[in-house]
Amino acid sequence: MSKNKKKGKGTTSRWILVSVLVVLAGVTYFLFFSGMSRTGNETYIQIDEDDNIDSVYAKLQPLSTPQGFWVFKQIAGIMGYAKKIRPGRFVVGSSGSLQTSRHIINGLQAPVKVTIRSVRTIDDLATDVSEKLMFTRAELLSRLKSKEVCKKYGFTPETIPAMFIPNTYDFYWNTSVDKFLDKMSEENKKFWNFERKEKAKQAGFTESEIVTLASIVDEETDNEAEMPKIAGMYINRLHLNMPLQADPTVKFATKNFTAHRIYQKWLTIDNPYNTYKYRGLPPGPIRIPSVAAIDAVLNYVHHDYIYMCAKEDFSGTHNFAKTYEEHQKNAAKYAKALNEHGIN
């Protein structure tokens, strides 16, 4: 055979080898390193403590590409995953099947962003959080209504809303209720830094009392610029030993949260949150207040006003008064505006 023929045969063999290697590389990439999400969008698989290998497969298969699912099953078998399934929330997205499979099998979770909102009740809080984390609404409510649990964190069932500072926090989906509360307690302590603690002391209130007053201020207005002025008015009343007579506390006591008017019959309800009947602050916050409202109380405006009434233009702001006579005039204007608009 001539040298040229041998050379041609060798070149062909090399090209065949290169082609095979390229195909193998493509197949390897396709199987192990291409995105695992069936839709191409990032999604999540939530694995519970009572899941077994079959239920994990049932949850993963609709989310994964066929090749990705095949890779997961092979790796799960090699690593004995069926005997050590780790609960959690895991991302199935653009990462390759190999990496995603390793994360699930090794329990490397994707964090969940949990937003603590400025909500009215602990029930609302429990609903929000339980929709994001593995524990149930009932489990969280049980802890928040327990005197022993609340005492552990320095609160009572009435003041426990003061522990929650509105913000967005990272958790793992399978965080326990107790670990969740531990984290919220830590975040509360971070929030109450030296400056805020000193302002509370100077105002003559505990931290929980500041939050309780802030919850009333938050219910009175959405206008953050007006909040320090409203806080100052209520503090003036407390200093004068006047009833707060805060309408939001009556709404809380009667559970009429959407009422536009406060009826005379509500003012005599025997409820510790009724600040028309009982002097001083109510037993605890009437909502989880915003950070803006808390800081407004800490930085309240010093003035002589002791009355306020919603403005008749429905702007959400208030007319303030130093005398009861002036206040009556403001109240009459507001009542007239309600009647003209047919608001009950």
Side-chain angles (χ1 to χ4, degrees):
M1 184 181 291
S2 68
K3 290 183 179 180
N4 287 337
K5 286 183 177 181
K6 287 181 180 180
K7 184 177 179 181
K9 187 175 182 180
T11 301
T12 301
S13 298
R14 284 195 296 272
W15 274 111
I16 292 173
L17 178 60
V18 169
S19 298
V20 169
L21 291 174
V22 168
V23 170
L24 286 174
V27 171
T28 300
Y29 179 85
F30 178 69
L31 286 176
F32 295 100
F33 300 103
S34 61
M36 192 170 175
S37 171
R38 181 182 290 268
T39 63
N41 298 319
E42 194 171 87
T43 186
Y44 298 89
I45 178 173
Q46 294 177 339
I47 300 175
D48 297 295
E49 291 177 342
D50 57 354
D51 271 321
N52 57 36
I53 191 66
D54 291 327
S55 61
V56 171
Y57 287 160
K59 289 181 175 181
L60 182 61
Q61 190 168 18
L63 306 177
S64 173
T65 59
Q67 68 273 13
F69 182 63
W70 179 86
V71 168
F72 179 82
K73 291 182 72 173
Q74 306 314 304
I75 297 175
I78 293 170
M79 298 185 68
Y81 177 60
K83 295 180 180 179
K84 52 181 180 181
I85 293 173
R86 294 179 172 89
R89 175 180 178 269
F90 306 94
V91 65
V92 179
S94 59
S95 296
S97 304
L98 177 61
Q99 180 175 314
T100 300
S101 298
R102 290 178 63 185
H103 283 181
I104 295 173
I105 291 168
N106 293 322
L108 300 177
Q109 297 187 58
V112 180
K113 292 194 177 298
V114 177
T115 298
I116 302 298
R117 298 186 300 134
S118 175
V119 292
R120 269 207 178 91
T121 67
I122 286 298
D123 292 60
D124 295 332
L125 169 73
T127 298
D128 282 355
V129 175
S130 63
E131 287 177 352
K132 292 287 188 176
L133 301 179
M134 187 172 70
F135 55 75
T136 66
R137 180 177 182 271
E139 287 176 305
L140 179 54
L141 280 175
S142 175
R143 299 293 202 287
L144 295 177
K145 293 177 181 180
S146 164
K147 290 182 180 179
E148 292 74 18
V149 172
C150 293
K151 184 178 180 181
K152 171 185 174 183
Y153 298 107
F155 297 92
T156 66
E158 292 74 30
T159 62
I160 194 64
M163 187 172 81
F164 298 93
I165 306 299
N167 206 339
T168 298
Y169 305 95
D170 284 339
F171 288 93
Y172 288 124
W173 176 69
N174 62 335
T175 298
S176 68
V177 178
D178 294 328
K179 292 295 183 184
F180 167 75
L181 292 176
D182 287 346
K183 170 77 170 176
M184 291 294 91
S185 177
E186 290 172 9
E187 293 297 334
N188 179 275
K189 290 171 183 174
K190 290 178 186 176
F191 175 81
W192 284 101
N193 54 28
F194 177 79
E195 182 182 359
R196 286 192 173 103
K197 284 183 176 180
E198 283 301 303
K199 287 182 178 179
K201 287 180 183 177
Q202 290 169 14
F205 298 103
T206 66
E207 294 160 22
S208 289
E209 287 171 338
I210 290 289
V211 176
T212 297
L213 183 51
S215 71
I216 297 173
V217 171
D218 222 352
E219 280 287 310
E220 290 283 15
T221 185
D222 292 326
N223 188 318
E224 292 183 6
E226 193 184 43
M227 286 181 176
K229 190 174 183 180
I230 294 174
M233 189 216 71
Y234 279 126
I235 289 173
N236 286 345
R237 288 193 160 212
L238 290 169
H239 288 166
L240 293 169
N241 197 30
M242 290 177 61
L244 287 184
Q245 295 184 335
D247 289 354
T249 66
V250 178
K251 292 181 183 180
F252 185 86
T254 60
K255 305 305 178 189
N256 288 291
F257 295 118
T258 59
H260 294 286
R261 293 177 186 260
I262 301 299
Y263 295 97
Q264 190 67 33
K265 62 182 179 181
W266 295 352
L267 305 184
T268 57
I269 289 175
D270 189 13
N271 186 296
Y273 286 88
N274 181 0
T275 58
Y276 277 82
K277 186 175 181 64
Y278 293 95
R279 295 176 188 273
L281 290 167
I286 60 171
R287 68 176 298 126
I288 295 175
S290 63
V291 171
I294 297 172
D295 284 338
V297 175
L298 291 172
N299 298 283
Y300 71 94
V301 175
H302 295 258
H303 54 62
D304 296 327
Y305 295 118
I306 54 175
Y307 298 101
M308 75 174 190
C309 180
K311 284 186 177 179
E312 63 279 7
D313 61 2
F314 302 112
S315 62
T317 56
H318 297 78
N319 289 313
F320 291 83
K322 296 178 182 179
T323 67
Y324 185 62
E325 290 72 25
E326 186 182 356
H327 172 64
Q328 283 184 308
K329 293 178 182 178
N330 292 333
K333 287 188 289 185
Y334 183 62
K336 181 182 177 183
L338 288 175
N339 292 333
E340 288 176 348
H341 287 80
I343 300 174
N344 296 317

